[in-house]
Amino acid sequence: MYNVMSPKAEEFISHEEILESLAYAQDNRNNRELIDKILDKAREKKGLSHREAAVLLDCELEDKNQEIYALAEQIKKDFYGNRIVMFAPLYLSNYCINGCEYCPYHLKNKHIARKKLTQEEIVKEVTALQDMGHKRLALEAGEDPVNNPIEYILECIKTIYGIKHKNGAIRRVNVNIAATTVENYQKLKEAGIGTYILFQETYNKESYEKLHPTGPKHDYAYHTEAMDRAMDGGIDDVGLGVLFGLNNYQYDFIGILMHAEHLEAYKGVGPHTISVPRLRRADDIDPDVFDNGISDEMFAKIVACIRIAVPYTGMIVSTRESQKCREKVLHLGISQISGASRTSVGGYAEPEPEEENSAQFDVSDNRTLDEVVKWLMEMGYVPSFCTACYREGRTGDRFMTLLKSGQIVNCCHPNALMTLKEYLEDYASEETCAVGNQLIEKELDVITNPKVKEKVIDYLANIHKGQRDFRF
Ligand code: SF4
Ligand code: SF4
């Protein structure tokens, strides 16, 4: 039985409710009157239910689809402006005892190089990341209680926060590790993590169990209820995601929105982010064996519909996607992207030799961070290295309050400009620097509060003189 307030995975992600929502969406895909009603509700920018959003996703009326895209773009502008937050993944270890059929780190893959970074190697990797200009990392590790116990993850976090190289500093460490216990989530919280990220992969229990035939991840309920435990452990910001391509995309689209509704209803705070990865080719993995691949067009529609359904949730797209595809979805709702990513264990300090391939998937966008930053700015976006909320304790509902207050132009925008300025001063090429300084000049006009604007101008001058780390 469907119950958004239930602590049980099979009740808050009810299979029957998803099937009924799928049928409802299908029956109404050309119901102009209903679609108009849903779009009117969406224009209030307070979100939509999973059922309403499913109707929009299935809509076949061309003019209404254009309205959906225009509305997604508007919501993106209103809540996130033209800022795009930058981050990089750091793979700590690819030892894993799970049997995930779509991931090359699965236990039975004997030809992938298994690696685990030592603390000395982490210092090298993070120094290289700092030298690129990154301030935000997403840590990734396989599940292996012997090779990657929680103590190892905690030690890595401590090492990372402690590395100061020139003007570099990692100011927010997000963590993507396997579902674990409330006690371990408490430890992660104490270690000062930002967002805890865990991809559901698919919400369809039957497919989930087939795709995860062995290892602790096989337990659908334990995995699906992980975010509730993370919040019980004190982690306010959690990041959801499904791996599009594994299962029917409409099913997982509804599932992820139901998960967001559950967190909001049951824990009082919706997800901080939603990631939209698509299955990629990798060692021992052929995406063609999974026949649920989605086209670039449908991918863009999913992004637009998620943006409309959960306006307060950030959306992440990684370097799994090509430059062209990322360009297409950025304006529809993406608020964070990774840049210059390595998906191998190590590889930032020195490129990994080909015979030692330890990558989780092939990267489609291979540009440097400088190139990505310049590309974003040339399209009119402000690349942001801001981590202010986390450092000011504005997490969970306090972060949501900021987002809902409409004060982002006087808070996020100045922070974005100041962190971009730091990037330009410390890491950018001459060309990128020129484009960036011009952009900052122009973007100052977006700040509506004259006092804030005055302060920002002053801070920018101080950054140019060598001071760092101003924030609102
Ligand atoms: Fe292990 Fe995660 Fe890969 Fe599964 S997806 S094999 S849990 S690293
Ligand atoms: Fe994000 Fe907070 Fe910075 Fe705004 S001020 S960009 S919400 S971290």
Side-chain angles (χ1 to χ4, degrees):
M1 243 261 282
Y2 177 45
N3 179 2
V4 70
M5 293 292 283
S6 169
K8 288 192 185 146
E10 282 180 65
E11 291 180 4
F12 67 79
I13 306 287
S14 150
H15 179 59
E16 289 69 35
E17 172 60 21
I18 297 184
L19 293 186
E20 278 176 33
S21 301
L22 283 170
Y24 177 78
Q26 211 169 15
D27 290 347
N28 288 293
R29 58 164 52 137
N30 293 321
N31 182 341
R32 209 166 263 281
E33 204 183 320
L34 178 69
I35 292 166
D36 276 338
K37 225 167 108 189
I38 295 173
L39 280 169
D40 279 346
K41 180 177 172 193
R43 284 192 188 92
E44 290 170 22
K45 296 172 199 154
K46 293 197 179 112
L48 293 176
S49 71
H50 58 272
R51 236 177 228 221
E52 293 161 337
V55 174
L56 296 190
L57 187 68
D58 253 17
C59 166
E60 291 175 333
L61 304 169
E62 193 39 40
D63 57 329
K64 294 296 145 196
N65 279 336
Q66 290 314 317
E67 276 184 50
I68 291 170
Y69 287 125
L71 181 58
E73 208 169 331
Q74 191 56 48
I75 291 177
K76 157 88 206 273
K77 269 192 203 135
D78 292 348
F79 285 95
Y80 302 91
N82 54 351
R83 293 175 311 282
I84 302 286
V85 170
M86 310 298 304
F87 77 97
L90 175 62
Y91 283 75
L92 299 177
S93 164
N94 64 0
Y95 285 93
C96 191
I97 56 168
N98 284 311
C100 312
E101 299 212 328
Y102 48 84
C103 174
Y105 295 170
H106 66 79
L107 183 66
K108 286 196 186 136
N109 186 357
K110 299 293 176 210
H111 40 85
I112 196 162
R114 298 284 170 180
K115 291 187 195 167
K116 170 184 166 182
L117 296 180
T118 61
Q119 299 309 308
E120 291 71 34
E121 284 167 333
I122 287 175
V123 173
K124 279 195 200 147
E125 289 293 296
V126 173
T127 305
L129 282 156
Q130 288 185 1
D131 281 344
M132 285 181 205
H134 278 294
K135 299 280 188 265
R136 229 178 230 254
L137 295 186
L139 301 188
E140 316 272 343
E143 180 167 15
D144 186 328
V146 175
N147 287 298
N148 326 325
I150 190 73
E151 290 71 26
Y152 169 69
I153 307 289
L154 297 170
E155 196 187 355
C156 295
I157 297 169
K158 199 169 163 208
T159 302
I160 293 167
Y161 278 134
I163 302 166
K164 300 277 177 289
H165 173 67
K166 297 185 185 162
N167 281 336
I170 297 303
R171 297 173 178 159
R172 178 172 177 133
V173 175
N174 297 334
V175 173
N176 180 353
I177 59 162
T180 184
T181 58
V182 174
E183 292 70 38
N184 284 346
Y185 287 125
Q186 266 163 353
K187 289 179 190 167
L188 288 170
K189 165 83 182 169
E190 280 158 22
I193 70 159
T195 311
Y196 171 65
I197 302 159
L198 181 67
F199 294 168
Q200 178 65 29
E201 323 297 5
T202 175
Y203 284 94
N204 184 315
K205 185 168 184 267
E206 204 187 321
S207 307
Y208 181 96
E209 286 171 349
K210 274 194 203 135
L211 289 160
H212 306 96
T214 54
K217 196 167 169 180
H218 177 74
D219 187 337
Y220 176 83
Y222 190 73
H223 188 82
T224 313
E225 292 158 12
M227 294 312 192
D228 293 358
R229 292 195 300 281
M231 286 186 165
D232 289 343
I235 297 174
D236 291 328
D237 295 341
V238 299
L240 305 180
V242 288
L243 186 49
F244 284 106
L246 288 182
N247 183 51
N248 169 304
Y249 70 88
Q250 290 108 322
Y251 191 105
D252 282 331
F253 172 83
I254 295 171
I256 206 164
L257 292 181
M258 286 171 78
H259 201 170
E261 285 163 10
H262 165 71
L263 293 175
E264 177 112 37
Y266 186 55
K267 296 289 175 192
V269 193
H272 191 69
T273 52
I274 287 183
S275 299
V276 285
R278 276 196 289 182
L279 199 61
R280 292 280 303 158
R281 184 172 299 282
D283 180 78
D284 207 34
I285 303 298
D286 177 0
D288 296 339
V289 303
F290 301 91
D291 52 11
N292 290 295
I294 46 171
S295 65
D296 285 357
E297 285 66 37
M298 189 43 73
F299 184 63
K301 184 134 189 232
I302 290 172
V303 170
C305 291
I306 293 178
R307 179 68 301 134
I308 292 174
V310 281
Y312 307 123
T313 301
M315 234 194 292
I316 301 177
V317 69
S318 74
T319 50
R320 280 172 189 258
E321 299 298 339
S322 65
Q323 172 180 344
K324 198 167 139 248
C325 179
R326 300 217 285 176
E327 238 161 69
K328 201 167 166 178
V329 293
L330 273 177
H331 68 114
L332 292 174
I334 299 298
S335 55
Q336 277 190 43
I337 65 170
S338 48
S341 302
R342 299 277 179 282
T343 59
S344 49
V345 182
Y348 287 109
E350 278 162 40
E352 186 176 56
E354 213 158 287
E355 64 280 8
E356 266 183 38
N357 180 22
S358 70
Q360 196 187 28
F361 57 85
D362 291 353
V363 164
S364 287
D365 188 341
N366 285 301
R367 292 170 297 165
T368 64
L369 185 61
D370 189 71
E371 285 165 338
V372 174
V373 165
K374 182 160 168 279
W375 161 74
L376 285 171
M377 296 192 299
E378 283 172 343
M379 290 188 294
Y381 294 105
V382 178
S384 171
F385 295 87
C386 179
T387 53
C389 280
Y390 158 73
R391 298 164 78 225
E392 293 289 321
R394 285 191 302 256
T395 55
D397 53 352
R398 276 154 292 169
F399 162 80
M400 291 294 171
T401 310
L402 169 73
L403 211 58
K404 290 176 189 176
S405 71
Q407 278 309 303
I408 48 173
V409 286
N410 295 313
C411 190
C412 302
H413 203 67
N415 286 336
L417 297 183
M418 293 188 300
T419 54
L420 175 61
K421 180 70 177 167
E422 286 186 353
Y423 174 82
L424 298 177
E425 292 286 330
D426 290 338
Y427 310 105
S429 65
E430 223 173 279
E431 254 178 82
T432 304
C433 208
V435 178
N437 281 322
Q438 251 183 18
L439 181 79
I440 291 175
E441 199 60 36
K442 190 173 126 236
E443 291 290 328
L444 280 171
D445 290 338
V446 175
I447 303 168
T448 52
N449 183 325
K451 277 202 186 128
V452 173
K453 190 171 169 181
E454 208 177 298
K455 257 191 179 174
V456 176
I457 293 172
D458 193 38
Y459 287 163
L460 286 170
N462 286 331
I463 292 171
H464 183 61
K465 284 184 207 145
Q467 285 187 50
R468 294 290 173 267
D469 209 9
F470 296 102
R471 61 179 181 265
F472 287 93

